[in-house]
Amino acid sequence: MACVVAKAVGLEVLQWGLVAVPVFVTGHQLTSSGNSTLSANQGSPSIGQLSLVAYWMILLGSFLLVTLAVHIPVKIFLFKQRQSTNATLEWRPSILLYNLLSALPCYVMILIGIQAPLSNVNAKLYEDAIYVTTPTILLCLIATEWVAKWKEDEFSSDMAEAMLNDFHTAYDIMELISLGLDDDIASKTWPIFAIFALSLLAMFKYVPRSPKYKNDGEEFRPSGNRRAQKWLLTNIFVQDLPFFTLRLTLICLYGLKAGELLYPAKSAAGLVFRSLQLYLMKKENRKVSPTSENGTASEEHDLEEKDETVDVEDIPTETLED
């Protein structure tokens, strides 16, 4: 019992740490960037200017306040609900909390720190966002997803493959953010905000829990099929469709950049194949639904037939000899 409690507490502390790391990394990059007014006025007591010490105190206090007011109460509520119902959630609260309490504040800090409009595509802060801050956010997101899987699902070969595929989404997001390094795109404000907004939206694809990670056979029943459809629709509307639309728009407005055609093609393929999966699932549901209505009656009829029919092998040998 002690080991189980220690493991649960350790994983919760780890998830909380994964929420905290991107916030403070982003704060450090913001203050150390030559593009930041904080770095230019470190320790300045002037009115209207925020000193570096005050900035860190506000950041730390805000994070701890949000943790006490949101993160811990939600975790306690979900724990009590799981204990009372013994039901497995079909979504991952830890991912939702991470996106709202870590990824969102980090992106807001990045966008506020970037000068608008960007006058220099090599601005230190945006380079930090691409090479330091955003990779940290994505790595902690993936780690949070892995911890959630280890806590809630039995490890299998399918899960191992899915954990590896998590990096594909992270790489796709990084490539989208990297578009902001282009001169034409960076000279406008709306593409930068659209890029970060859709990147954040894509992180919510991990919130629904895929039915294929369950080992109870639910994915082969109509209920599991419906859950799979919701999971596919989430992937379409938070990543494939928004990414394809934005990339195609940027190509039309600013021209085809080197290597950029591959990623709209990837998003288009995702739309096609996921839509095909949805079509096949709906087709299977139509085939299953008529039989499922009469499933109980058929099973009862089969049981009656089995009761009335006696196999010769089931008759005792003494009876046959008599």
Side-chain angles (χ1 to χ4, degrees):
M1 182 64 181
C3 294
V4 175
V5 173
K7 178 182 178 182
V9 173
L11 290 176
E12 289 297 335
V13 172
L14 176 59
Q15 286 186 334
W16 179 82
L18 292 171
V19 172
V21 167
V23 174
F24 292 102
V25 169
T26 304
H28 176 266
Q29 296 304 124
L30 181 62
T31 56
S32 63
S33 172
N35 202 36
S36 171
T37 57
L38 286 172
S39 61
N41 299 282
Q42 295 184 12
S44 175
S46 302
I47 298 177
Q49 294 179 343
L50 186 64
S51 69
L52 192 61
V53 174
Y55 166 80
W56 279 110
M57 292 299 294
I58 292 174
L59 182 61
L60 177 61
S62 301
F63 181 78
L64 293 177
L65 179 62
V66 170
T67 298
L68 293 174
V70 180
H71 191 269
I72 294 178
V74 169
K75 286 289 185 177
I76 294 175
F77 171 77
L78 292 172
F79 175 77
K80 291 182 177 180
Q81 185 182 38
R82 190 176 293 113
Q83 291 293 324
S84 60
T85 61
N86 291 325
T88 302
L89 295 176
E90 296 180 8
W91 59 289
R92 301 193 188 278
S94 57
I95 303 297
L96 182 61
L97 287 173
Y98 177 87
N99 289 339
L100 295 179
L101 303 182
S102 185
L104 177 59
C106 289
Y107 274 12
V108 170
M109 284 192 288
I110 292 171
L111 291 174
I112 291 177
I114 295 175
Q115 295 178 355
L118 291 176
S119 59
N120 182 7
V121 297
N122 293 319
K124 179 71 165 56
L125 187 58
Y126 198 83
E127 287 187 347
D128 290 342
I130 292 177
Y131 299 117
V132 179
T133 309
T134 303
T136 302
I137 296 171
L138 293 173
L139 287 174
C140 289
L141 172 66
I142 292 173
T144 303
E145 167 77 351
W146 288 0
V147 172
K149 288 175 181 176
W150 285 331
K151 287 173 55 178
E152 302 166 8
D153 301 311
E154 183 180 349
F155 191 83
S156 63
S157 59
D158 289 338
M159 183 188 294
E161 182 179 358
M163 291 168 72
L164 181 61
N165 289 334
D166 289 340
F167 282 99
H168 294 300
T169 299
Y171 187 77
D172 198 16
I173 294 174
M174 281 302 308
E175 285 299 321
L176 185 69
I177 294 179
S178 297
L179 293 177
L181 290 175
D182 180 79
D183 293 347
D184 295 330
I185 296 176
S187 62
K188 306 294 183 182
T189 302
W190 76 263
I192 302 299
F193 279 85
I195 286 171
F196 276 93
L198 295 187
S199 297
L200 178 65
L201 179 64
M203 296 181 188
F204 286 88
K205 68 171 290 184
Y206 295 110
V207 174
R209 184 182 182 193
S210 175
K212 68 181 179 180
Y213 300 132
K214 297 184 179 181
N215 298 316
D216 55 1
E218 285 287 336
E219 65 270 25
F220 300 107
R221 295 201 285 268
S223 59
N225 200 313
R226 286 192 293 271
R227 284 195 297 271
Q229 291 179 31
K230 294 178 182 178
W231 186 80
L232 288 170
L233 286 171
T234 301
N235 280 263
I236 288 175
F237 286 105
V238 304
Q239 183 182 9
D240 294 326
L241 183 59
F243 278 32
F244 175 75
T245 303
L246 179 60
R247 281 170 167 152
L248 188 63
T249 301
L250 294 177
I251 288 176
C252 294
L253 292 177
Y254 303 107
L256 185 64
K257 308 300 178 183
E260 190 175 314
L261 184 60
L262 178 64
Y263 296 99
K266 176 262 178 191
S267 300
L271 285 171
V272 171
F273 288 121
R274 295 191 196 280
S275 300
L276 180 60
Q277 283 180 287
L278 287 171
Y279 169 76
L280 294 175
M281 287 182 181
K282 291 183 178 295
K283 190 176 180 181
E284 290 174 1
N285 280 345
R286 295 193 201 101
K287 293 180 180 179
V288 173
S289 55
T291 58
S292 61
E293 294 176 358
N294 302 324
T296 305
S298 300
E299 290 177 0
E300 293 177 354
H301 180 69
D302 292 340
L303 289 174
E304 292 176 359
E305 288 185 349
K306 289 181 180 179
D307 292 338
E308 295 175 358
T309 305
V310 179
D311 195 347
V312 176
E313 296 178 355
D314 295 333
I315 302 176
T317 307
E318 295 82 358
T319 306
L320 292 176
E321 290 176 353
D322 292 343

